[in-house]
Amino acid sequence: MSHQIEIHQCTPLKRDSLVGRIYKARYFPNYSFLEAELGGNLSFIWRSFFESQKLIKDGSRRRIGHGSSTEVLNTPWLLSEANPCVVSTHPALTNCRVSQLMKPDSRQLDMEIIDDLFDSRDVELIKQVPLSVNLGDDTWFGNKDPTGFFTVKSSYKHLQLANGSWNSSMEDDVWKVLWKIKAPPKVLHFSWKALSGCLPTRTQLHSRHVLVDLHCVLCNYGEESIFHVLVQCSFAHSCWIRSALGVGHSTTTNFFDWFMEVLAVGNMGLVEETVMIG
């Protein structure tokens, strides 16, 4: 998976690819991906793509050039984190393009039209939209990263902030320590997935609407969560004992929090062994 993606059509599918054309024809033939609805008779792949819609909406903005390819309504083109879309409801705005808000043969806003059609909130935001004579077509850009690209790092941070799970120690302590550990890349990647909560354990699959038995197949006791299968499970526990490291005593039920406790006691050797064994 690419770590940096330029946003063209605001969709996880390449718009000109065969797969992209098939999914557009099947699920959103008359709209963009941002306006698509989940629909019925769903495939698992389409449901997975659709899960990314809100993330792309939150992280995408429209940069205005000539304005003729950007609809005034339902498009994130205003400079507002809270809501980058127009909220005014004047009937004349239906199917209206941003270019129609400009003076003829000019890259300047027609303030008489804007004052007539928009409420005060939108008027102030529209005045702040930069209009460059050097930019041709309207383009998409990512607003969560200073490069203007859609990046995995900025998107992941946005999701963690939205979930209330992002803090400085997460970024500065855990990841810096993890990527400096001398271990094979596949081991580090496995550890990153465990700490990020994206290992496909049974509880994770169940949260993605996959119907599976939640019981751990190794001990047949308890639900197969990431923390259970790596720390709590009797099989995992025996592996820790045989490694002569032990797992210590902890009241946490979350693998990330457990890992943080290991860091807190300053046991770098245990951290490295944890990653290697994992």
Side-chain angles (χ1 to χ4, degrees), residues 72-97:
V72 172
L73 299 179
N74 304 316
T75 305
W77 62 283
L78 302 181
L79 301 180
S80 169
E81 280 295 318
N83 182 7
C85 296
V86 166
V87 297
S88 302
T89 57
H90 195 287
L93 296 177
T94 303
N95 298 323
C96 179
R97 305 281 175 164

PDB file of all heavy atoms in Angstrom, residues 72-97:
ATOM      1  N   VAL A  72     -21.113  24.128  -6.152  1.00  0.00           N
ATOM      2  CA  VAL A  72     -21.137  24.978  -4.960  1.00  0.00           C
ATOM      3  C   VAL A  72     -21.642  24.182  -3.746  1.00  0.00           C
ATOM      4  O   VAL A  72     -21.084  24.305  -2.651  1.00  0.00           O
ATOM      5  CB  VAL A  72     -22.041  26.207  -5.192  1.00  0.00           C
ATOM      6  CG1 VAL A  72     -22.238  26.985  -3.889  1.00  0.00           C
ATOM      7  CG2 VAL A  72     -21.429  27.111  -6.261  1.00  0.00           C
ATOM      8  N   LEU A  73     -22.655  23.361  -3.951  1.00  0.00           N
ATOM      9  CA  LEU A  73     -23.226  22.585  -2.854  1.00  0.00           C
ATOM     10  C   LEU A  73     -22.588  21.197  -2.765  1.00  0.00           C
ATOM     11  O   LEU A  73     -22.195  20.621  -3.784  1.00  0.00           O
ATOM     12  CB  LEU A  73     -24.735  22.435  -3.041  1.00  0.00           C
ATOM     13  CG  LEU A  73     -25.553  23.733  -3.069  1.00  0.00           C
ATOM     14  CD1 LEU A  73     -27.030  23.410  -3.287  1.00  0.00           C
ATOM     15  CD2 LEU A  73     -25.375  24.532  -1.782  1.00  0.00           C
ATOM     16  N   ASN A  74     -22.494  20.690  -1.544  1.00  0.00           N
ATOM     17  CA  ASN A  74     -22.044  19.317  -1.278  1.00  0.00           C
ATOM     18  C   ASN A  74     -20.617  19.027  -1.719  1.00  0.00           C
ATOM     19  O   ASN A  74     -20.255  17.873  -1.973  1.00  0.00           O
ATOM     20  CB  ASN A  74     -22.987  18.300  -1.947  1.00  0.00           C
ATOM     21  CG  ASN A  74     -24.425  18.468  -1.510  1.00  0.00           C
ATOM     22  OD1 ASN A  74     -24.708  18.644  -0.329  1.00  0.00           O
ATOM     23  ND2 ASN A  74     -25.346  18.429  -2.466  1.00  0.00           N
ATOM     24  N   THR A  75     -19.801  20.061  -1.806  1.00  0.00           N
ATOM     25  CA  THR A  75     -18.382  19.897  -2.137  1.00  0.00           C
ATOM     26  C   THR A  75     -17.546  20.638  -1.096  1.00  0.00           C
ATOM     27  O   THR A  75     -17.827  21.807  -0.807  1.00  0.00           O
ATOM     28  CB  THR A  75     -18.066  20.454  -3.544  1.00  0.00           C
ATOM     29  OG1 THR A  75     -18.917  19.836  -4.506  1.00  0.00           O
ATOM     30  CG2 THR A  75     -16.617  20.183  -3.911  1.00  0.00           C
ATOM     31  N   PRO A  76     -16.520  20.013  -0.528  1.00  0.00           N
ATOM     32  CA  PRO A  76     -15.705  20.660   0.508  1.00  0.00           C
ATOM     33  C   PRO A  76     -14.671  21.632  -0.081  1.00  0.00           C
ATOM     34  O   PRO A  76     -13.503  21.304  -0.227  1.00  0.00           O
ATOM     35  CB  PRO A  76     -15.024  19.470   1.199  1.00  0.00           C
ATOM     36  CG  PRO A  76     -14.891  18.448   0.127  1.00  0.00           C
ATOM     37  CD  PRO A  76     -16.119  18.596  -0.733  1.00  0.00           C
ATOM     38  N   TRP A  77     -15.095  22.852  -0.378  1.00  0.00           N
ATOM     39  CA  TRP A  77     -14.190  23.820  -0.994  1.00  0.00           C
ATOM     40  C   TRP A  77     -13.974  25.072  -0.133  1.00  0.00           C
ATOM     41  O   TRP A  77     -13.176  25.948  -0.495  1.00  0.00           O
ATOM     42  CB  TRP A  77     -14.697  24.228  -2.380  1.00  0.00           C
ATOM     43  CG  TRP A  77     -16.041  24.908  -2.424  1.00  0.00           C
ATOM     44  CD1 TRP A  77     -17.250  24.321  -2.316  1.00  0.00           C
ATOM     45  CD2 TRP A  77     -16.295  26.311  -2.630  1.00  0.00           C
ATOM     46  NE1 TRP A  77     -18.270  25.260  -2.418  1.00  0.00           N
ATOM     47  CE2 TRP A  77     -17.709  26.479  -2.619  1.00  0.00           C
ATOM     48  CE3 TRP A  77     -15.482  27.434  -2.815  1.00  0.00           C
ATOM     49  CZ2 TRP A  77     -18.302  27.720  -2.787  1.00  0.00           C
ATOM     50  CZ3 TRP A  77     -16.072  28.671  -2.991  1.00  0.00           C
ATOM     51  CH2 TRP A  77     -17.467  28.806  -2.973  1.00  0.00           C
ATOM     52  N   LEU A  78     -14.629  25.142   1.021  1.00  0.00           N
ATOM     53  CA  LEU A  78     -14.452  26.284   1.912  1.00  0.00           C
ATOM     54  C   LEU A  78     -13.341  26.003   2.928  1.00  0.00           C
ATOM     55  O   LEU A  78     -13.057  24.847   3.255  1.00  0.00           O
ATOM     56  CB  LEU A  78     -15.752  26.586   2.658  1.00  0.00           C
ATOM     57  CG  LEU A  78     -16.982  26.884   1.793  1.00  0.00           C
ATOM     58  CD1 LEU A  78     -18.177  27.193   2.685  1.00  0.00           C
ATOM     59  CD2 LEU A  78     -16.710  28.029   0.836  1.00  0.00           C
ATOM     60  N   LEU A  79     -12.725  27.057   3.441  1.00  0.00           N
ATOM     61  CA  LEU A  79     -11.630  26.923   4.398  1.00  0.00           C
ATOM     62  C   LEU A  79     -12.189  26.853   5.814  1.00  0.00           C
ATOM     63  O   LEU A  79     -12.124  27.815   6.576  1.00  0.00           O
ATOM     64  CB  LEU A  79     -10.653  28.094   4.256  1.00  0.00           C
ATOM     65  CG  LEU A  79     -10.006  28.254   2.878  1.00  0.00           C
ATOM     66  CD1 LEU A  79      -9.064  29.453   2.857  1.00  0.00           C
ATOM     67  CD2 LEU A  79      -9.272  26.991   2.471  1.00  0.00           C
ATOM     68  N   SER A  80     -12.750  25.711   6.140  1.00  0.00           N
ATOM     69  CA  SER A  80     -13.321  25.512   7.466  1.00  0.00           C
ATOM     70  C   SER A  80     -13.094  24.074   7.892  1.00  0.00           C
ATOM     71  O   SER A  80     -13.436  23.142   7.155  1.00  0.00           O
ATOM     72  CB  SER A  80     -14.820  25.822   7.459  1.00  0.00           C
ATOM     73  OG  SER A  80     -15.429  25.405   8.668  1.00  0.00           O
ATOM     74  N   GLU A  81     -12.513  23.886   9.070  1.00  0.00           N
ATOM     75  CA  GLU A  81     -12.302  22.533   9.591  1.00  0.00           C
ATOM     76  C   GLU A  81     -13.629  21.932  10.052  1.00  0.00           C
ATOM     77  O   GLU A  81     -13.876  20.744   9.887  1.00  0.00           O
ATOM     78  CB  GLU A  81     -11.307  22.562  10.759  1.00  0.00           C
ATOM     79  CG  GLU A  81      -9.852  22.635  10.345  1.00  0.00           C
ATOM     80  CD  GLU A  81      -9.415  21.395   9.598  1.00  0.00           C
ATOM     81  OE1 GLU A  81      -9.789  20.283  10.013  1.00  0.00           O
ATOM     82  OE2 GLU A  81      -8.711  21.532   8.580  1.00  0.00           O
ATOM     83  N   ALA A  82     -14.475  22.753  10.664  1.00  0.00           N
ATOM     84  CA  ALA A  82     -15.741  22.252  11.200  1.00  0.00           C
ATOM     85  C   ALA A  82     -16.668  21.757  10.091  1.00  0.00           C
ATOM     86  O   ALA A  82     -17.243  20.674  10.187  1.00  0.00           O
ATOM     87  CB  ALA A  82     -16.430  23.330  12.029  1.00  0.00           C
ATOM     88  N   ASN A  83     -16.829  22.555   9.041  1.00  0.00           N
ATOM     89  CA  ASN A  83     -17.683  22.169   7.918  1.00  0.00           C
ATOM     90  C   ASN A  83     -17.242  22.938   6.671  1.00  0.00           C
ATOM     91  O   ASN A  83     -17.561  24.125   6.525  1.00  0.00           O
ATOM     92  CB  ASN A  83     -19.149  22.448   8.222  1.00  0.00           C
ATOM     93  CG  ASN A  83     -20.067  22.003   7.098  1.00  0.00           C
ATOM     94  OD1 ASN A  83     -19.636  21.371   6.140  1.00  0.00           O
ATOM     95  ND2 ASN A  83     -21.348  22.340   7.206  1.00  0.00           N
ATOM     96  N   PRO A  84     -16.533  22.287   5.767  1.00  0.00           N
ATOM     97  CA  PRO A  84     -16.012  22.978   4.578  1.00  0.00           C
ATOM     98  C   PRO A  84     -17.021  23.095   3.444  1.00  0.00           C
ATOM     99  O   PRO A  84     -16.661  23.535   2.349  1.00  0.00           O
ATOM    100  CB  PRO A  84     -14.831  22.085   4.169  1.00  0.00           C
ATOM    101  CG  PRO A  84     -15.272  20.714   4.571  1.00  0.00           C
ATOM    102  CD  PRO A  84     -16.058  20.889   5.837  1.00  0.00           C
ATOM    103  N   CYS A  85     -18.262  22.699   3.682  1.00  0.00           N
ATOM    104  CA  CYS A  85     -19.291  22.770   2.648  1.00  0.00           C
ATOM    105  C   CYS A  85     -20.235  23.956   2.890  1.00  0.00           C
ATOM    106  O   CYS A  85     -20.438  24.377   4.027  1.00  0.00           O
ATOM    107  CB  CYS A  85     -20.107  21.480   2.603  1.00  0.00           C
ATOM    108  SG  CYS A  85     -19.156  20.013   2.131  1.00  0.00           S
ATOM    109  N   VAL A  86     -20.802  24.441   1.823  1.00  0.00           N
ATOM    110  CA  VAL A  86     -21.771  25.528   1.900  1.00  0.00           C
ATOM    111  C   VAL A  86     -23.028  25.038   2.618  1.00  0.00           C
ATOM    112  O   VAL A  86     -23.507  23.925   2.372  1.00  0.00           O
ATOM    113  CB  VAL A  86     -22.134  26.014   0.486  1.00  0.00           C
ATOM    114  CG1 VAL A  86     -23.375  26.884   0.500  1.00  0.00           C
ATOM    115  CG2 VAL A  86     -20.949  26.770  -0.133  1.00  0.00           C
ATOM    116  N   VAL A  87     -23.550  25.859   3.518  1.00  0.00           N
ATOM    117  CA  VAL A  87     -24.770  25.493   4.255  1.00  0.00           C
ATOM    118  C   VAL A  87     -25.977  26.310   3.803  1.00  0.00           C
ATOM    119  O   VAL A  87     -27.108  26.029   4.205  1.00  0.00           O
ATOM    120  CB  VAL A  87     -24.570  25.674   5.780  1.00  0.00           C
ATOM    121  CG1 VAL A  87     -23.485  24.745   6.283  1.00  0.00           C
ATOM    122  CG2 VAL A  87     -24.261  27.132   6.138  1.00  0.00           C
ATOM    123  N   SER A  88     -25.759  27.315   2.968  1.00  0.00           N
ATOM    124  CA  SER A  88     -26.862  28.141   2.466  1.00  0.00           C
ATOM    125  C   SER A  88     -27.781  27.287   1.580  1.00  0.00           C
ATOM    126  O   SER A  88     -27.329  26.356   0.913  1.00  0.00           O
ATOM    127  CB  SER A  88     -26.330  29.322   1.662  1.00  0.00           C
ATOM    128  OG  SER A  88     -25.453  30.104   2.452  1.00  0.00           O
ATOM    129  N   THR A  89     -29.059  27.657   1.548  1.00  0.00           N
ATOM    130  CA  THR A  89     -30.048  26.818   0.857  1.00  0.00           C
ATOM    131  C   THR A  89     -30.837  27.567  -0.219  1.00  0.00           C
ATOM    132  O   THR A  89     -31.957  27.188  -0.555  1.00  0.00           O
ATOM    133  CB  THR A  89     -31.044  26.236   1.885  1.00  0.00           C
ATOM    134  OG1 THR A  89     -31.669  27.323   2.596  1.00  0.00           O
ATOM    135  CG2 THR A  89     -30.350  25.314   2.863  1.00  0.00           C
ATOM    136  N   HIS A  90     -30.287  28.626  -0.754  1.00  0.00           N
ATOM    137  CA  HIS A  90     -30.998  29.377  -1.795  1.00  0.00           C
ATOM    138  C   HIS A  90     -31.244  28.470  -3.001  1.00  0.00           C
ATOM    139  O   HIS A  90     -30.336  27.749  -3.448  1.00  0.00           O
ATOM    140  CB  HIS A  90     -30.175  30.591  -2.211  1.00  0.00           C
ATOM    141  CG  HIS A  90     -30.954  31.606  -2.991  1.00  0.00           C
ATOM    142  ND1 HIS A  90     -31.341  31.404  -4.294  1.00  0.00           N
ATOM    143  CD2 HIS A  90     -31.428  32.843  -2.650  1.00  0.00           C
ATOM    144  CE1 HIS A  90     -31.999  32.448  -4.728  1.00  0.00           C
ATOM    145  NE2 HIS A  90     -32.081  33.338  -3.742  1.00  0.00           N
ATOM    146  N   PRO A  91     -32.454  28.468  -3.572  1.00  0.00           N
ATOM    147  CA  PRO A  91     -32.766  27.586  -4.720  1.00  0.00           C
ATOM    148  C   PRO A  91     -31.833  27.774  -5.912  1.00  0.00           C
ATOM    149  O   PRO A  91     -31.586  26.822  -6.664  1.00  0.00           O
ATOM    150  CB  PRO A  91     -34.204  27.988  -5.078  1.00  0.00           C
ATOM    151  CG  PRO A  91     -34.769  28.561  -3.817  1.00  0.00           C
ATOM    152  CD  PRO A  91     -33.632  29.241  -3.131  1.00  0.00           C
ATOM    153  N   ALA A  92     -31.306  28.975  -6.099  1.00  0.00           N
ATOM    154  CA  ALA A  92     -30.446  29.240  -7.256  1.00  0.00           C
ATOM    155  C   ALA A  92     -29.105  28.509  -7.163  1.00  0.00           C
ATOM    156  O   ALA A  92     -28.383  28.415  -8.164  1.00  0.00           O
ATOM    157  CB  ALA A  92     -30.202  30.744  -7.384  1.00  0.00           C
ATOM    158  N   LEU A  93     -28.773  27.976  -5.978  1.00  0.00           N
ATOM    159  CA  LEU A  93     -27.488  27.290  -5.809  1.00  0.00           C
ATOM    160  C   LEU A  93     -27.529  25.851  -6.296  1.00  0.00           C
ATOM    161  O   LEU A  93     -26.482  25.219  -6.457  1.00  0.00           O
ATOM    162  CB  LEU A  93     -27.069  27.317  -4.332  1.00  0.00           C
ATOM    163  CG  LEU A  93     -26.792  28.706  -3.740  1.00  0.00           C
ATOM    164  CD1 LEU A  93     -26.461  28.599  -2.260  1.00  0.00           C
ATOM    165  CD2 LEU A  93     -25.645  29.381  -4.485  1.00  0.00           C
ATOM    166  N   THR A  94     -28.703  25.304  -6.548  1.00  0.00           N
ATOM    167  CA  THR A  94     -28.827  23.936  -7.038  1.00  0.00           C
ATOM    168  C   THR A  94     -28.158  23.808  -8.404  1.00  0.00           C
ATOM    169  O   THR A  94     -28.456  24.586  -9.322  1.00  0.00           O
ATOM    170  CB  THR A  94     -30.309  23.529  -7.143  1.00  0.00           C
ATOM    171  OG1 THR A  94     -30.932  23.680  -5.867  1.00  0.00           O
ATOM    172  CG2 THR A  94     -30.431  22.089  -7.603  1.00  0.00           C
ATOM    173  N   ASN A  95     -27.226  22.872  -8.513  1.00  0.00           N
ATOM    174  CA  ASN A  95     -26.456  22.632  -9.756  1.00  0.00           C
ATOM    175  C   ASN A  95     -25.576  23.814 -10.152  1.00  0.00           C
ATOM    176  O   ASN A  95     -25.093  23.880 -11.293  1.00  0.00           O
ATOM    177  CB  ASN A  95     -27.387  22.270 -10.920  1.00  0.00           C
ATOM    178  CG  ASN A  95     -28.165  20.994 -10.666  1.00  0.00           C
ATOM    179  OD1 ASN A  95     -27.643  20.050 -10.071  1.00  0.00           O
ATOM    180  ND2 ASN A  95     -29.423  20.958 -11.084  1.00  0.00           N
ATOM    181  N   CYS A  96     -25.373  24.740  -9.228  1.00  0.00           N
ATOM    182  CA  CYS A  96     -24.528  25.906  -9.509  1.00  0.00           C
ATOM    183  C   CYS A  96     -23.051  25.535  -9.365  1.00  0.00           C
ATOM    184  O   CYS A  96     -22.670  24.758  -8.486  1.00  0.00           O
ATOM    185  CB  CYS A  96     -24.882  27.038  -8.555  1.00  0.00           C
ATOM    186  SG  CYS A  96     -23.901  28.555  -8.773  1.00  0.00           S
ATOM    187  N   ARG A  97     -22.204  26.098 -10.228  1.00  0.00           N
ATOM    188  CA  ARG A  97     -20.762  25.880 -10.173  1.00  0.00           C
ATOM    189  C   ARG A  97     -20.072  27.105  -9.591  1.00  0.00           C
ATOM    190  O   ARG A  97     -20.586  28.226  -9.673  1.00  0.00           O
ATOM    191  CB  ARG A  97     -20.209  25.603 -11.571  1.00  0.00           C
ATOM    192  CG  ARG A  97     -20.895  24.457 -12.288  1.00  0.00           C
ATOM    193  CD  ARG A  97     -20.389  23.122 -11.807  1.00  0.00           C
ATOM    194  NE  ARG A  97     -21.114  22.003 -12.387  1.00  0.00           N
ATOM    195  CZ  ARG A  97     -20.678  20.741 -12.377  1.00  0.00           C
ATOM    196  NH1 ARG A  97     -19.508  20.466 -11.826  1.00  0.00           N
ATOM    197  NH2 ARG A  97     -21.411  19.774 -12.896  1.00  0.00           N
TER     198      ARG A  97
END
